[in-house]
Amino acid sequence: MTDPTAIQPSELDQLPDRDPEETAEWQASLDAVTKAAGPHRAAYLMRRTLERAEGNGLALPKLLETDYVNTIPTAAEPVVAGDEEMERKITAWNRWNAAAMVTRGSKYGVGGHIATFASAAWLYETGFNHFFQGKEADGSGDQLYIQGHASPGIYARAFLDGRIGEHQLDHFRQEAGGDGLPSYPHPRRLPWLWEFPTVSMGLGPLSAIYQARFNRYLTNRGIKDVSQSHVWAFLGDGEMDEPESTAALALASREGLDNLTFVINCNLQRLDGPVRANFKIVQELEAQFRGAGWNVVKTLWGTAWDELFRLDTTGALVRRLRQVPDAQVQTYQTRDAAYIRQDFFGADPALVEMAKLLSDDKILECFHLSRGGHEARKVYAAYRAALAHKGAPTVILAQTVKGHTLGEGFASKNANHQMKKLTVDEFKKMRDVLELPISDSQFVDGQVPYGHPGADAPEVRYLQERRAALGGPAPARRTHALAPLPAPADKTFAAFDKGSGTQNMATTMAFVRLVKDLVRDKQTGRRWVPIVPDEARTFGMESLFPSLGIYSPKGQTYEPVDRDQLMYYKEAKDGQILNEGITEAGSMADFIAASTAYSTHGEAMIPFYIFYSMFGWQRTADQMWQLGDQLGRGFLVGATAGRTTLTGEGLQHADGHSPVIAATNPAAMSYDPAFAYEISTIVKDGLRRMYGEAAPGEDPNVFYYLTVYNEPMPQPAKPAAPGIDEGIVKGLYRFNTAESAGLSPAANAARIQLIGSGTAIHWTLKAQQLLAEEWGVAADVWSATSWTELRRDALDADAALLRGEERVPYVRQALHGAEGPVLAVSDYMRQVPDQIAQWVEQDYSSLGADGFGLSDTREAARRHFGVDAESIVVAALAQLARRGEVKASSVKEARERYGL
């Protein structure tokens, strides 16, 4: 058997020991201390030695966990630079109104959360009073990611500040009339207040990291110096379970984002119960963040605990605090002093003796009330330490009690997330705890009143003075009166009108070529932000590496292996490309930061994020909703799109549904262009709408989703017929007729309208030829650049009709009078083209690639799904046969001829 006391092999055995005798003496000293004074004393000495080594600059790995005590001792706390009593009164008013707003709204059944802000009030108030830079001073101010469930407290502060009134408070979660307040931080719903949507938990912390990173990007590229902006992300300890919450911690550390602070409200509770019932979430998070290279500040215990720590001459108290699991700490919050004496102090003889020196009131004060996150002075010290730390981001782990000041019925109860109101008696007790001048007579008909000391009250003047000194109200979203960006030269877009001649070109490459020309534009080229998740070479973008450079805050500290090649891998501090590695979520967070820079920083940036279409909407659709909520602008490009164009990759790579998911997002302008000239027309119009002169009634706060394909095909010239550009933008135009295609159908030939989108247009064109040459059927071919935009226009027309206005949907206008039935074909599931079915006046049917994808050649996959040219022919003949316009036997004959 292995001797457990034996020294185990370690990496140090591989290092030279120039003085083994000295090494043995150090080890013997440690053994002696352990034997004489105990393991806890030995551990303390080792930690002190490591601390000294770090202070002397010795390169040693850091401890991942420290004791369960405050990082900043009380004696080291700076004096709060303000009127602490005035700030207590302000916080009391905000606590009251946050609870009143949710309680009053509960009679309408609209819900709301009380307990979160109650626990986090001082975390916010201290920041608002002393740290959060507003947007009315120089620069961009700070960026605040507010925890979604704390929104009532933010509204309460805006009420005290005079930015919103009682009417709006009384319409919390009642927005339909236009005067209400959204449930959570929703910029699209309240664009003058909220900047960042955060309530889809996990996306806030991820976005905050990439926002801080994008701030550095803007500064390093010389777009705007935002080095004074600081990003503050307020998070819940339960929220840290989301994988996105911790997905980019290493990025933040690697790039030294000391312009970023996470404030994690460790109230030890998530929605249904304890976050880590049998463990300690603070210790877990400390190890996780320290391991990722973050500076960690723990703010756990209030001032009342100082006496207990002074009495702890043996370290027994600190040891016990590390032992007790979180769920038991929560239990102490609800039990009497006798229970705490027995369960907590009774576990160690030294603690039993300590407890004899403590009154019941003292024990209850410590275990029920005194937490670091509930004391402005301790929070202030933590924030000061965060801003002073350089070279790495900081996380503040602030321990609080969920439901603090709301009464015994709320504090630390598992169900408090679902508890939406207080009784009148509970409010009166809360009033007394908060020392607010609200009389019993103000509770009219059993309804809790809002509290406000008056517009000229000292509390309100103090609040406004503090915000004025810090640069204006916060949170606040700024709407800048930006001049439209100059439109790139028409020749940039017109270059694609001629087609590719005899050269085959994939639409992915057409888009990349267009962007290469646009980034050269002298006026707007530097505002493009190319984003790619480690697939640039897949999409043919490597030619942009040496010309634009890949952004790195360190530049390029090595000689790239391909330096002697024309398209070498070039990193630069002012690089323009964001090459994010294998992270679609990180790339989307980049896109969101760039797409909203027009508001956050007053700088219009033009991001385009290109990705495997299957791994965009399917994997990160939640972030697309976040993008729409945040009013982002830019171009999302789903490359290698379609179910049958990506040969050999198989089920998980075969995208047959991204346009379906995109269609569910009201802010997404979803296009499936077939040809290079369609892409250039759509991008040109998107630049006009989002960054130039939007037409009356057009919302510029949209983003464009374009599907592009990796299949090289001939790119035709743009047809010369009038209205082509309008049709491309609106979603449908006639590409050719049987006659203009030179197929010369008979005068009495049966006719059908074939609509294709994306790569399916090529099979449709081949089917047009087969129908004419082998079956005597005349087919006209239409290009549907956007099924989704056609549907939205039709829905708008239906809504107008209900208002008594006459409007004909564009799809019906375009197809009006077209002879014969309509057959729509897509490389996506039939649900995509079927979006327009009910507004097509002709007989309508569709073909699509429903089901799971598979690995094979393009031809075999298309035959499998029944969307190849021959399948289109059989479907067209069947449709005409049902109408009696071709012989029924021709359908069977075609199936046999084509082997279907």
Side-chain angles (χ1 to χ4, degrees):
M1 293 178 61
T2 302
D3 180 3
T5 64
I7 297 176
Q8 299 299 310
S10 82
E11 73 279 1
L12 295 177
D13 295 336
Q14 304 173 66
L15 304 179
D17 187 348
R18 66 183 186 183
D19 194 340
E21 187 175 338
E22 181 184 34
T23 303
E25 289 175 357
W26 276 75
Q27 291 172 333
S29 297
L30 178 62
D31 292 342
V33 170
T34 304
K35 184 176 181 180
H40 300 296
R41 175 62 180 168
Y44 178 82
L45 291 175
M46 288 299 299
R47 289 177 57 190
R48 278 298 193 187
T49 302
L50 288 171
E51 187 180 78
R52 175 60 62 89
E54 183 180 348
N56 289 338
L58 298 182
L60 291 173
K62 296 181 179 180
L63 293 173
L64 293 185
E65 282 188 44
T66 61
D67 283 321
Y68 204 67
V69 296
N70 294 347
T71 302
I72 304 169
T74 299
E77 292 170 2
V79 176
V80 177
D83 187 331
E84 293 185 61
E85 176 58 22
M86 192 64 70
E87 292 173 18
R88 185 197 65 78
K89 292 180 180 180
I90 291 170
T91 305
W93 285 117
N94 293 339
R95 285 182 182 278
W96 177 272
N97 287 319
M101 175 175 59
V102 175
T103 298
R104 287 168 68 122
S106 67
K107 66 181 180 181
Y108 301 109
V110 293
H113 302 289
I114 303 178
T116 294
F117 179 73
S119 68
W122 278 115
L123 303 181
Y124 291 105
E125 295 297 331
T126 304
F128 286 129
N129 289 330
H130 300 284
F131 294 95
F132 303 157
Q133 298 294 318
K135 300 182 180 301
E136 294 176 1
D138 295 337
S140 300
D142 289 351
Q143 288 82 55
L144 308 180
Y145 287 77
I146 305 295
Q147 191 179 1
H149 292 158
S151 63
I154 308 305
Y155 291 137
R157 194 170 214 273
F159 171 65
L160 193 65
D161 193 13
R163 292 203 286 166
I164 60 177
E166 279 195 25
H167 177 73
Q168 287 171 288
L169 291 186
D170 259 349
H171 284 79
F172 174 57
R173 293 191 169 201
Q174 298 173 65
E175 301 177 76
D179 297 326
L181 299 174
S183 53
Y184 303 123
H186 289 306
R188 187 169 285 274
R189 290 299 183 208
L190 204 61
W192 60 267
L193 180 72
W194 299 119
E195 275 196 288
F196 307 107
T198 55
V199 82
S200 188
M201 288 189 286
L203 299 191
L206 179 69
S207 293
I209 290 174
Y210 280 89
Q211 181 65 59
R213 195 281 195 92
F214 190 73
N215 290 356
R216 290 281 173 85
Y217 173 91
L218 287 177
T219 300
N220 288 337
R221 286 198 56 217
I223 301 292
K224 182 179 182 180
D225 183 359
V226 295
S227 56
Q228 298 307 305
S229 289
H230 199 85
V231 177
W232 301 83
F234 289 84
L235 319 169
D237 48 359
E239 182 177 6
M240 301 311 292
D241 286 345
E242 290 284 4
E244 295 89 350
S245 294
T246 55
L249 297 187
L251 167 72
S253 172
R254 185 169 64 244
E255 299 204 358
L257 298 180
D258 50 24
N259 60 338
L260 169 68
T261 297
F262 275 15
V263 181
I264 303 182
N265 178 16
C266 298
N267 57 34
L268 313 185
Q269 287 183 254
R270 51 188 175 201
L271 307 190
D272 287 332
V275 178
R276 293 290 183 271
N278 297 296
F279 307 94
K280 301 192 79 62
I281 185 60
V282 168
Q283 300 300 92
E284 178 182 319
L285 292 175
E286 178 184 27
Q288 194 168 15
F289 278 87
R290 283 188 186 277
W294 285 54
N295 175 46
V296 178
V297 177
K298 294 199 293 191
T299 303
L300 307 181
W301 307 112
T303 305
W305 282 83
D306 288 350
E307 179 183 342
L308 276 68
F309 288 122
R310 283 195 297 270
L311 294 173
D312 184 28
T313 58
T314 65
L317 176 63
V318 173
R319 291 195 298 274
R320 182 66 177 140
L321 289 174
R322 287 197 67 170
Q323 294 168 357
V324 178
D326 284 352
Q328 191 63 21
V329 173
Q330 184 179 345
T331 298
Y332 294 149
Q333 176 69 35
T334 64
R335 298 300 180 89
D336 60 18
Y339 178 89
I340 298 170
R341 284 182 187 277
Q342 178 181 352
D343 190 87
F344 181 84
F345 290 98
D348 188 296
L351 293 180
V352 171
E353 293 303 313
M354 179 190 294
K356 293 177 181 178
L357 304 175
L358 303 174
S359 68
D360 285 356
D361 286 345
K362 182 64 177 180
I363 289 175
L364 293 179
E365 180 187 13
C366 289
F367 284 84
H368 284 193
L369 301 174
S370 187
R371 299 292 187 274
H374 295 323
E375 294 189 14
R377 183 169 295 191
K378 295 195 178 296
V379 176
Y380 183 90
Y383 288 3
R384 278 276 170 239
L387 293 180
H389 188 84
K390 300 302 178 187
T394 293
V395 59
I396 295 169
L397 303 175
Q399 187 162 265
T400 67
V401 174
K402 193 167 186 178
H404 183 59
T405 73
L406 296 180
E408 294 179 359
F410 262 86
S412 287
K413 295 297 174 63
N414 282 339
N416 61 20
H417 183 78
Q418 303 302 326
M419 297 161 68
K420 311 299 183 186
K421 59 184 178 180
L422 297 173
T423 66
V424 169
D425 287 341
E426 287 172 329
F427 265 109
K428 290 178 179 178
K429 290 179 182 178
M430 180 183 177
R431 171 200 62 191
D432 296 339
V433 168
L434 298 177
E435 300 177 6
L436 289 172
I438 298 173
S439 66
D440 288 354
S441 63
Q442 291 177 260
F443 290 82
V444 179
D445 296 328
Q447 177 155 277
V448 57
Y450 292 121
H452 199 293
D456 294 324
E459 298 97 313
V460 176
R461 290 201 305 271
Y462 180 89
L463 182 157
Q464 294 173 340
E465 288 167 1
R466 291 305 307 143
R467 288 312 315 161
L470 287 165
R477 182 179 181 274
R478 181 179 290 179
T479 302
H480 298 267
L482 297 179
L485 291 183
D490 281 342
K491 65 179 182 180
T492 303
F493 303 100
F496 294 87
D497 291 352
K498 298 178 294 184
S500 62
T502 58
Q503 178 186 4
N504 287 341
M505 179 192 298
T507 52
T508 298
M509 184 53 62
F511 178 83
V512 171
R513 287 189 184 181
L514 174 62
V515 169
K516 285 175 66 176
D517 292 339
L518 291 171
V519 296
R520 293 192 187 105
D521 185 86
K522 292 182 179 180
Q523 297 189 79
T524 60
R526 66 197 294 262
R527 296 191 175 274
W528 283 85
V529 183
I531 303 168
V532 61
D534 199 39
E535 290 280 4
R537 298 182 192 277
T538 301
F539 308 136
M541 290 175 58
E542 65 268 31
S543 61
L544 298 177
F545 288 169
S547 58
L548 300 183
I550 299 165
Y551 172 72
S552 168
K554 290 186 176 294
Q556 194 155 39
T557 61
Y558 61 92
E559 183 177 354
V561 67
D562 54 359
R563 182 64 182 85
D564 57 342
Q565 298 179 18
L566 181 63
M567 293 183 286
Y568 70 98
Y569 196 83
K570 177 187 175 183
E571 295 188 78
K573 190 172 183 179
D574 61 350
Q576 194 164 351
I577 301 171
L578 292 173
N579 190 314
E580 290 304 357
I582 304 175
T583 168
E584 286 83 6
S587 299
M588 266 307 302
D590 263 336
F591 187 89
I592 291 170
S595 70
T596 54
Y598 73 91
S599 173
T600 308
H601 296 298
E603 295 288 345
M605 305 300 289
I606 313 171
F608 82 86
Y609 165 34
I610 187 168
F611 50 87
Y612 262 92
S613 64
M614 188 67 158
F615 302 142
W617 284 92
Q618 175 165 301
R619 197 172 270 194
T620 59
D622 195 10
Q623 288 177 287
M624 275 74 161
W625 276 94
Q626 180 188 15
L627 167 65
D629 192 348
Q630 202 166 316
L631 291 85
R633 306 170 183 174
F635 296 94
L636 296 176
V637 183
T640 60
R643 180 141 283 165
T644 69
T645 61
L646 188 57
T647 57
E649 292 287 353
L651 185 148
Q652 272 194 294
H653 285 66
D655 173 21
H657 53 274
S658 69
V660 177
I661 308 175
T664 65
N665 190 311
M669 307 286 292
S670 179
Y671 286 91
D672 185 27
F675 304 124
Y677 68 79
E678 293 179 355
I679 291 173
S680 67
T681 302
I682 293 165
V683 171
K684 180 181 180 181
D685 190 70
L687 289 172
R688 174 200 62 79
R689 176 170 178 170
M690 294 185 291
Y691 300 97
E693 297 283 359
E698 276 188 330
D699 182 4
N701 299 316
V702 295
F703 59 93
Y704 281 62
Y705 174 57
L706 282 71
T707 49
V708 294
Y709 300 84
N710 69 329
E711 183 177 10
M713 298 294 288
Q715 295 298 323
K718 180 189 287 188
I724 295 295
D725 284 0
E726 179 189 25
I728 291 172
V729 172
K730 288 190 172 182
L732 182 68
Y733 69 96
R734 182 154 47 194
F735 176 73
N736 70 16
T737 62
E739 290 77 10
S740 66
L743 298 175
S744 304
N748 61 347
R751 186 174 289 270
I752 190 169
Q753 307 298 315
L754 302 179
I755 305 179
S757 68
T759 194
I761 199 80
H762 299 286
W763 328 324
T764 306
L765 288 168
K766 182 180 177 183
Q768 178 191 42
Q769 183 177 357
L770 291 174
L771 283 167
E773 294 177 353
E774 299 187 13
W775 306 98
V777 172
D780 301 338
V781 173
W782 299 71
S783 178
T785 54
S786 180
W787 308 99
T788 300
E789 288 308 302
L790 292 173
R791 176 178 176 81
R792 287 175 177 168
D793 171 80
L795 290 172
D796 288 344
D798 285 356
L801 190 62
L802 291 175
R803 296 191 301 266
E805 304 169 19
E806 289 293 334
R807 250 198 64 195
V808 179
Y810 176 79
V811 63
R812 184 166 293 170
Q813 295 179 45
L815 289 170
H816 180 67
E819 186 180 344
V822 169
L823 175 60
V825 187
S826 166
D827 200 23
Y828 298 94
M829 56 197 302
R830 288 177 60 183
Q831 186 175 339
V832 175
D834 285 351
Q835 290 181 85
I836 67 169
Q838 72 186 84
W839 294 281
V840 175
E841 61 186 28
Q842 294 87 349
D843 291 341
Y844 185 90
S845 64
S846 64
L847 296 175
D850 285 72
F852 288 111
L854 76 167
S855 302
D856 214 312
T857 64
R858 294 183 178 116
E859 292 76 16
R862 286 162 190 165
R863 176 56 59 92
H864 169 81
F865 287 110
V867 293
D868 60 351
E870 291 79 7
S871 298
I872 295 172
V873 169
V874 172
L877 292 173
Q879 202 170 358
L880 291 168
R882 286 194 295 271
R883 295 162 56 92
E885 296 179 19
V886 301
K887 295 178 180 178
S889 60
S890 63
V891 181
K892 179 181 178 183
E893 182 183 348
R895 281 201 304 267
E896 293 173 349
R897 181 182 301 182
Y898 300 135
L900 297 177

